[in-house]
């Protein structure tokens, strides 16, 4: 277990599929936006999934991200989780395989049933199965307060097999990174 700055850790990744658990505060969004901004500045294709593209673009612009860049791709995701899985797998399949990418995949759904967490774990495994085809980093961002306490540890364990690292970040506790061999 290592306490460190999440932006520094993300900046030094090779190609990795990372799960990022956070408390949903401003710091977590700053970490996501910094990751995207640095990629856009390096002319890497950067994808950010969100349910509210207009709001995110406005916030990114305020943060200093070049929102009109050809390297920034905002992907609108459905409001309902049930419509999400096919859409995200199709999008992952369509990512460019010939250039470096950065992806922040946000998951602000209410994970309040084992059925939803099981399906999300399946989606993550499908992404991981094809991850070798991608050149870059895929960060799966989950707000912990959206995951019911009773299934949180089970869900975390489900995600261990499909990621190379887990970042836990809270305003109160800072950041801890666990790498998975």
């Amino acid at each position: 277990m290592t306490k460190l700055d999440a932006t520094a850790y993300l900046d030094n990744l090779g190609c990795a599929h990372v799960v990022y658990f956070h408390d949903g505060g401003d710091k977590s969004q700053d970490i996501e936006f910094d990751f995207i901004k640095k990629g856009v500045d390096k002319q890497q294709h950067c994808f950010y999934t969100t349910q509210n593209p207009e709001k995110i673009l406005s916030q990114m612009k305020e943060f200093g991200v070049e929102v009109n860049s050809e390297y920034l791709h905002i992907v609108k995701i459905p409001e309902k989780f049930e419509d999400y899985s096919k859409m995200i797998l199709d999008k992952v399949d369509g990512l460019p395989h010939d250039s470096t990418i950065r992806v922040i995949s946000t998951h602000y759904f209410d994970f309040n049933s084992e059925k939803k967490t099981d399906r999300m774990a399946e989606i993550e495994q499908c992404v991981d199965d094809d991850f070798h085809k991608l050149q870059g980093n895929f960060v799966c961002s989950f707000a912990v307060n959206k995951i019911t306490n009773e299934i949180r540890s089970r869900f975390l364990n489900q995600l261990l097999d499909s990621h190379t690292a887990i970042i836990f970040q809270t305003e109160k506790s800072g950041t801890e990174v666990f790498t998975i061999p």
Side-chain angles (χ1 to χ4, degrees):
M1 177 170 63
T2 309
K3 290 216 182 231
L4 51 87
D5 181 297
T7 56
Y9 177 76
L10 291 173
D11 284 345
N12 293 311
L13 288 176
C15 287
H17 185 197
V18 177
V19 64
Y20 173 39
F21 285 111
H22 53 80
D23 56 9
D26 291 338
K27 183 160 175 74
S28 57
Q29 192 172 60
D30 289 348
I31 289 167
E32 292 172 357
F33 288 177
D34 184 66
F35 180 71
I36 294 294
K37 181 181 183 327
K38 288 177 179 171
V40 168
D41 291 348
K42 293 177 181 179
Q43 298 184 338
Q44 298 172 339
H45 284 279
C46 297
F47 297 82
Y48 190 96
T49 68
T50 180
Q51 292 167 321
N52 191 338
E54 297 79 21
K55 179 181 175 185
I56 291 298
L57 281 169
S58 175
Q59 292 172 333
M60 281 185 172
K61 185 175 184 176
E62 189 175 306
F63 187 83
V65 176
E66 177 51 55
V67 297
N68 295 318
S69 171
E70 66 183 281
Y71 296 100
L72 179 63
H73 311 278
I74 304 297
V75 178
K76 181 169 177 37
I77 57 177
E79 294 293 325
K80 293 193 297 188
F81 178 75
E82 293 75 18
D83 299 329
Y84 175 74
S85 62
K86 180 175 180 355
M87 189 267 337
I88 199 67
L89 292 174
D90 288 346
K91 291 291 182 187
V92 168
D93 201 36
L95 290 172
H97 300 297
D98 58 345
S99 60
T100 303
I101 64 161
R102 290 180 180 221
V103 176
I104 295 284
S105 184
T106 63
H107 304 88
Y108 286 95
F109 300 105
D110 287 323
F111 287 100
N112 53 9
S113 72
E114 287 184 4
K115 182 179 177 183
K116 283 185 182 178
T117 57
D118 288 350
R119 183 61 187 140
M120 191 70 233
E122 287 175 33
I123 294 166
E124 292 292 346
Q125 189 59 57
C126 287
V127 170
D128 197 59
D129 289 347
D130 287 339
F131 190 76
H132 65 279
K133 298 176 184 175
L134 303 174
Q135 296 178 50
N137 297 299
F138 205 110
V139 179
C140 304
S141 178
F142 292 91
V144 174
N145 62 338
K146 296 288 200 171
I147 306 167
T148 306
N149 285 339
E150 296 78 32
I151 58 177
R152 190 174 295 149
S153 62
R154 179 181 180 275
F155 188 38
L156 172 63
N157 282 321
Q158 288 176 300
L159 296 176
L160 292 177
D161 288 337
S162 59
H163 293 85
T164 54
I166 298 174
I167 300 172
F168 289 100
Q169 182 269 316
T170 64
E171 299 282 342
K172 185 177 178 180
S173 301
T175 305
E176 297 174 314
V177 174
F178 300 88
T179 56
I180 302 166

